[in-house]
Structures are given as structure tokens and as C-alpha cells.
């Protein structure tokens, strides 16, 4: 289990499981998500939410892991752009450790 900080002051956090990270990898949710400017803002978070919503609404996707990721992380009340940036960093680090 991992924990990401969801605001700059550190007073809020979100728990991330290995299964959440595997689901992000499975659906490549961060692929082409962040524009060339490299900033994670509320528009990027909204884009991610829309991408996931379209996956869930498609007939071919009936994945409870993706639904759990939404409920536990992406649509979490504390998830803001800062939290998404922390999640992206965690995912990159997790992926690097996995390949080593």
C-alpha cells in the first residue's frame, strides 16, 4: 500500500494499492494525458475522468478494478491536480522498480 499527498500542505492523503497501479498500467491511463507543457492542472484531471468514464461506458469494459480505481482514487473527494501529479510520480517510480 502506498500513500500520496493530495494537497500541498500535506493535511490530506489518498491510499493507493498495487492493484490501482496495475489498473493504471493495464489501461495506460496516463498515456498522452499531460500536454507538452508538463503541468498537471484541473483540466488534466478532468481529461482523465472523461477518459475513464468513456472506458466504463463502453460495452467491452466491465472491469471492477477500473471501477475501484475510480471510487478509491480518481473520484476521491480529496483528489485535486496536486494529488494527480503525486499519483503520476508514484506510478513512474513504481514502474521503474518493477522493471529492475
Amino acid at each position: 500500500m502506498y500513500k500520496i499527498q493530495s494537497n500541498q500542505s500535506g493535511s490530506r492523503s489518498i491510499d493507493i494499492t498495487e492493484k490501482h497501479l496495475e489498473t493504471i498500467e493495464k489501461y495506460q491511463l496516463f498515456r498522452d494525458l499531460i500536454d507538452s507543457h508538463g503541468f498537471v492542472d484541473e483540466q488534466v484531471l478532468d481529461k482523465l475522468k472523461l477518459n475513464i468514464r468513456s472506458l466504463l461506458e463502453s460495452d467491452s469494459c466491465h472491469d471492477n478494478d477500473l471501477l475501484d480505481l475510480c471510487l478509491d482514487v480518481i473520484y476521491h473527494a480529496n483528489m485535486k491536480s496536486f494529488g494527480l501529479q503525486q499519483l503520476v510520480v508514484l506510478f513512474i517510480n513504481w514502474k521503474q522498480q518493477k522493471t529492475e
Side-chain angles (χ1 to χ4, degrees):
M1 172 106 33
Y2 304 93
K3 188 174 284 241
I4 61 167
Q5 186 177 328
S6 62
N7 64 0
Q8 291 182 345
S9 67
S11 61
R12 298 180 189 271
S13 62
I14 300 172
D15 293 329
I16 309 296
T17 65
E18 192 85 19
K19 196 66 160 170
H20 292 142
L21 296 171
E22 290 169 359
T23 304
I24 291 169
E25 181 180 39
K26 177 181 176 181
Y27 290 100
Q28 299 180 4
L29 296 176
F30 294 157
R31 185 177 190 190
D32 300 327
L33 182 67
I34 301 170
D35 295 334
S36 61
H37 58 71
F39 295 112
V40 176
D41 55 13
E42 292 300 319
Q43 290 178 336
V44 175
L45 180 58
D46 290 341
K47 182 180 174 182
L48 176 62
K49 288 178 179 181
L50 289 173
N51 289 344
I52 292 174
R53 184 180 300 166
S54 68
L55 281 171
L56 288 170
E57 289 177 350
S58 71
D59 292 335
S60 62
C61 182
H62 299 288
D63 189 355
N64 286 336
D65 293 334
L66 184 58
L67 189 56
D68 288 342
L69 175 68
C70 286
L71 296 174
D72 297 342
V73 180
I74 304 302
Y75 285 92
H76 191 282
N78 294 333
M79 179 56 83
K80 304 291 184 223
S81 60
F82 185 84
L84 179 57
Q85 181 172 347
Q86 297 302 305
L87 181 60
V88 169
V89 169
L90 172 64
F91 178 75
I92 291 169
N93 292 337
W94 173 80
K95 190 122 167 126
Q96 286 176 346
Q97 288 176 351
K98 190 175 156 186
T99 58
E100 292 176 351

